[in-house]
Amino acid sequence: MSEAPVVVPAPPGPVVPGGTEDRAPRRTLVALVVTELLLSFALATPLVATLSLKVNEIAPGERTSVLSLVAAVGAVAAFLLNPVFGHLSDRTAGRFGRRRPWIIGGLLAGLPAAVVMATATTTVQLTIGWLLAQAAYNAALAALSAVIADRVPPGRQATASGLFGAAGFAGVVPGLVLVGMLPGRTVLLFLLPAGAAAVGGVLAWYLLRGEPPLDPAEREPVSVRSVFTSLTFDPRTSPAFTIVWGQRFLLQFANSLIGALGLYFFMARLGMSTAEAAALLSVTGLFSLAGNVVSAAVCGRLASRTGAYRAFIIGSGLLLTLSMLLKMTASSVWPVYVASALAGIGLGAFYAVDLALVIRVMPHSADSARYLGVFNIAKSLPQSIAPALAPLLLALGSDPVVRSGDGNYFALYAAGALAALVATALTPLIRHPRLTRD
């Protein structure tokens, strides 16, 4: 029988020498926001466009299957490597601290990975390049997320979480702009985002200076067993963490379930051509993105002031549920616009608060990067599961709203609404001594 880990309250962020407790988080927040923005830019641009463009060059006759293979390998690498790198970061001893070496190392390593992808002439080379990029950027992301737990005082963690989430959403925008400015310039579309991320690593190294090194006497050894253990947690000893993990999984599952099929939904339900559906997808995507960024920034700040994390979780879950119910019954354009805006606001609010919430309920603060890595699995794993389940839901009879014969989108969105509603209903079960204000 294993011994339950001792729950240690998260320590306040250390004070940077020469500054005050109030000033130290401000510099930390700048590092978090700018670095996450540039990291997201480097990760999102291939997903948005450049992998598709490169696959079209390498294997135009098999582009769908090849792109699915490359994306699947990257997704598996992301959800496996993030907690592993977090585990290694937690146990890194040296005068530069636990987080900074992994942040700058990961962001600099993304540049040669981008070169491999930019110069790829075969599917194998492109897959290896994307695998290396996922490994590099997840090493940086695991350490960067833990900075909030390590160095931001508890009263400001929701603000940091909100700004961090907003930066992650906003990182998609430079990629979209770059693709529009440099159509067909695949090499530059790979290298410029990776170069920007490398600059972000250098900036983070400078702004996050003053991180106290891990005391070698407190450093737990790294072993093969400990690495494999870093991918799991015991729900019995951390029920609050388990529930928050489940909520993120369900909401991301709902979002992923319908995200990849938006183009086909517009064509089937609204009778649009491919070009019309693509244009509407772009507009609604901007609606959703704007809601993500604004909601994440605003709700993170409000949650810091009120401490009502669970109230924001409930609100975001209900907004996502309502969004899916609107799309479930939509047969015209305007409900789609409203649903996209609601989904953007709801998802932004959720990702603004859930990181700060999970920091509160983590079983062991000394393993913050490891547990945040496990928490990130709840975001990446549904991106692999949902696309496989979507065709089964579409095959459940005919769509009662528009009988187009292209699949039952009513069932698809109903499943998404159910997942979001279940996630919302779990919120009252989150109980923890450090959650006292809602």
Side-chain angles (χ1 to χ4, degrees), residues 345-426:
I345 294 169
L347 200 62
F350 179 76
Y351 282 118
V353 176
D354 75 329
L355 184 56
L357 178 61
V358 84
I359 289 171
R360 288 284 196 281
V361 302
M362 285 191 303
H364 201 303
S365 64
D367 290 329
S368 58
R370 172 229 166 162
Y371 277 106
L372 289 174
V374 171
F375 190 54
N376 283 333
I377 291 177
K379 185 176 181 180
S380 55
L381 184 59
Q383 295 172 2
S384 300
I385 296 175
L389 185 60
L392 301 178
L393 294 168
L394 289 173
L396 294 175
S398 59
D399 193 325
V401 178
V402 176
R403 299 183 183 277
S404 64
D406 291 334
N408 190 350
Y409 285 93
F410 185 93
L412 184 73
Y413 280 91
L418 179 61
L421 192 60
V422 171
T424 307
L426 291 174

Side-chain angles (χ1 to χ4, degrees), residues 176-183 185:
L176 294 174
V177 172
L178 197 63
V179 170
M181 292 174 59
L182 301 171
R185 305 289 296 275

